[in-house]
Amino acid sequence: MAKLEVLKYPEKSLKEPSEPVKEVTEEHRQLFQDMIETMYLSHGLGLAAPQVGLNITLFVMDVARPNPLDEENPISNPLCLINPKIIEKSDETIIYEEGCLSCPDLLVDVKRSKAVVVEALNEKGELITHNFTELEAVCAQHEMDHLQGTLLTDQISRLKRELYRKKRMRLKKEEEESFDSNLL
Ligand SMILES: [Zn+2]
């Protein structure tokens, strides 16, 4: 397994819609392993392929906040969803303060369906129907937004977005500069 680099806003490819997976292969299964490890190491509840630079429609999630890398709490139940589709959603909604590994230091209240039924292929290529409620439903809808190129930054006002973009650009530049100064 390997930890992957998680792309951050305003990386352009995060805003692009992803392509469906035609056939589930060994490469996808390897990618899932790497994405799951990256998700746990980053303390995320979910991770979508565009966040690791691949614009294909798949994501992983595990809202139980376990950490199999933690010897005291190794229980985990990661789900791998390929070409996910919401086939039913509740009228009842839920507002949850969401964060995103691709949007550091940004928390946004987002209103979503409280329950969703999602149809997707699993890592073996089998069609599975998932009934998600509460935090699982929030997480699945957040990850599926990524597959369409929608980010938390699309949920805030244009002014806030512009301020956040400038802040991210400044931090990115600072990171690059501090990296350069270490090159002796
Ligand atoms: Zn996210």
Side-chain angles (χ1 to χ4, degrees):
M1 295 212 279
K3 193 182 179 197
L4 306 168
E5 189 198 348
V6 178
L7 301 181
K8 311 242 172 18
Y9 179 84
E11 183 76 44
K12 273 202 184 79
S13 64
L14 287 169
K15 295 293 299 159
E16 287 162 14
S18 290
E19 295 286 329
V21 174
K22 289 195 184 83
E23 193 191 345
V24 184
T25 65
E26 200 47 52
E27 275 174 60
H28 292 106
R29 285 186 276 275
Q30 182 57 50
L31 173 65
F32 277 132
Q33 291 304 313
D34 292 342
M35 285 176 67
I36 287 164
E37 184 176 10
T38 304
M39 173 177 75
Y40 289 139
L41 287 170
S42 314
H43 306 287
L45 303 180
L47 187 67
Q51 294 181 276
V52 293
L54 294 164
N55 282 92
I56 50 176
T57 56
L58 60 86
F59 70 88
V60 295
M61 65 180 256
D62 190 348
V63 304
R65 280 191 195 270
N67 186 350
L69 307 172
D70 173 354
E71 283 174 13
E72 284 176 19
N73 183 22
I75 304 151
S76 72
N77 181 30
L79 291 176
C80 304
L81 288 90
I82 304 165
N83 300 343
K85 241 187 272 167
I86 292 179
I87 53 171
E88 234 180 284
K89 58 182 178 185
S90 64
D91 291 333
E92 200 182 343
T93 54
I94 181 169
I95 294 175
Y96 189 82
E97 190 181 54
E98 298 181 19
C100 178
L101 295 176
S102 294
C103 306
D105 306 318
L106 185 71
L107 290 171
V108 186
D109 278 337
V110 186
K111 188 173 166 183
R112 301 190 186 274
S113 297
K114 198 176 180 182
V116 288
V117 180
V118 179
E119 204 174 72
L121 297 176
N122 66 8
E123 66 276 18
K124 293 177 201 148
E126 301 159 340
L127 189 66
I128 309 279
T129 304
H130 300 269
N131 288 286
F132 294 135
T133 58
E134 309 274 345
L135 186 53
E136 271 192 324
V138 168
C139 188
Q141 289 171 88
H142 175 111
E143 300 313 325
M144 286 170 78
D145 273 357
H146 275 298
L147 305 182
Q148 297 187 349
T150 300
L151 293 172
L152 282 185
T153 49
D154 294 303
Q155 310 274 3
I156 57 180
S157 70
R158 191 187 288 189
L159 176 65
K160 273 193 185 163
R161 183 159 59 241
E162 193 47 32
L163 290 171
Y164 181 68
R165 195 182 67 81
K166 282 188 179 146
K167 185 179 153 192
R168 288 301 319 156
M169 296 297 281
R170 194 180 64 236
L171 289 172
K172 196 177 170 204
K173 201 163 163 257
E174 278 173 19
E175 272 167 30
E176 283 165 4
E177 280 170 3
S178 70
F179 182 73
D180 282 348
S181 67
N182 291 339
L183 296 175
L184 299 171

